[in-house]
Amino acid sequence: MPDTILAILEQRQGKLSRVSWETLAASQAICAETGWTLEAAVIGNSIGNLATEVAGKKVSKVYAVESSKLEPYTPDAFVAALKQVLQSKQPKLVLLPHTYQVRDFIPKLATAMKSTVISDCVGYKKDGDKLVFTRQMFQGKFSADVSFTCEAPWFVTFQNGAFRGDKLEAGTSAAPVETINVEVADDIVRTKPQEIFKEAKQAVDLTQAEIIVSVGRGIKEQKNIEIAKQLAEALGGELAASRPICDSGWLPMDRQVGSSGQTVAPKLYLALGISGAIQHVVGMKAARTIIAINKDSEAPIFEIADYAVVGNLFDIVPPLIEEIKKARG
Amino acid sequence: MKILVCIKQVPQKDTPLKLNEYGTWIREDVSYEVNEPDAFALEEALRQKEKHGGEVVAITAGPARSQQVLREALAKGADRAIHLEDNAFVGLDAFNTARAFAAAIKDEQFDLIFTGLQSDDYGYAQTGVILAELLGWPHATIIMQIEKTDAGIRVKRELEAGYFQFVDIPLPAVLTIQSGINKLRYATLIGIKQAKNKPMRKVSFDDVKGAVTGNLQKIERLYIPEKTKNTEYMEGTPSEIAKKLVDKLRNEVHVL
């Protein structure tokens, strides 16, 4: 029997997230190369319709993992439920999207299964019989090819945007859906989650901005934000920032771009003094054009920049503002 | 509350990194600093102690150089430190680091263990959660606020896309702390002086060897990322660069 990949997809409020479809597309690609069988799982309470939706894709089987204890999410219930699924279905490789929820439970599940997670991967390679997974390290300065040295099941999580969801193949006929009613004992769940809420209404919707000027640590001091603001105004764009700037209170949290902030795809993203740590890049790499100004020639932001300026932003930005004003007349 | 804070020493953010001759790790002759999320974890532990009393203990695993992060923690107000001191700890995966920590604290009784939400070098974002599972404790990740309650604690978890959630957790528990949860303090001169006399327990690799297995995952190769974009570099004086950029903005990007 060929080995099996199990793709565990994340649903929230009855919808599968985009990165879940990307993970399923990645799983299809790995199966095409290895000849392994692809199965998928959706977890929650009354998620049969989502399982049916997944069954329309090119997969050999879909599991609807059901229990009233799985809603709302807790790591204890998820691990208890998935442990039962993995022990009975015995997949070799378990693939998941690298979301905050998955980050919360997957190291616990892997440890409970005496295994490990290669987390936040952006790709994979088949090296002879060996599968290696590529992940970024040192804030994106290096890539690492990582392999498993333990017994299966192996766990891998994929970064948002690492694979293209539009490459997902539909099935020729609907795959069978198997409902697994898992038992989660009452005393297993130790944490009590409250309702999910959104802090103060987002004042700025960066996702709609055509032009974004974004600042990172390289701006050095709060008073220097002004120069970036002037550049944004000259371009008719929005001002944004990487996390450390918002953490310092130099700009409000609703201007933050990255995994914990907004995900943007403007026509132009101008990065000032941003090094390009993974957590920031996942939020802006879909920009059509990226201009990066940074004094560190090895800053990872240059890997994804269309136009790069290695230099001091305080030297470059003032004449740039002047030239833009001239061009605008 | 008795709180353990796991702190990692990582290469400084702006330090240029070079690969070793095998292409499996970086050359370690670089400057190091405290992993930033761990600094927020320490700060939060100190604030909890100031509110509720108790003790803050800092722990790290790494060679002699990593003692610096414990010294800094003691100078900022931690009461004592535990140093798992050996070069061998550098190469451990998250699972084994957590096993080593669990072994090193087996005779201690903490109410809470804090880690930063991830490290700036490996970026696994796993050690804290694995430690919770090994100890059999509940956990919560990416924490932005901690309040003591009668039954334990209530934490505020950061979710994606601007969402949050409060979660009630009994003690003992493990929390991974998000950057920006608080404002970091600086060590005072008196703090730095007092740190010299605070207890530092050394744990050797031999002491925890029984708990450590072979790594479950292996870095086959470390390399500079393959470029996927054709980056055009703008060179010249600042005003020349400004002109070139405006030319691109007008004729290529079409935003002017």
Side-chain angles (χ1 to χ4, degrees), chain A residues 27-36 169:
Chain A
S27 310
Q28 286 181 341
I30 297 172
C31 284
E33 248 179 90
T34 55
W36 295 357
E169 290 180 62

Side-chain angles (χ1 to χ4, degrees), chain A residues 213 225-236 239 317-318 321-322 324-325:
Chain A
V213 174
I225 300 274
E226 186 56 30
I227 187 177
K229 203 173 153 198
Q230 287 168 10
L231 179 57
E233 276 164 10
L235 282 166
L239 187 59
V317 174
I321 294 170
E322 287 316 306
I324 290 167
K325 282 183 179 161

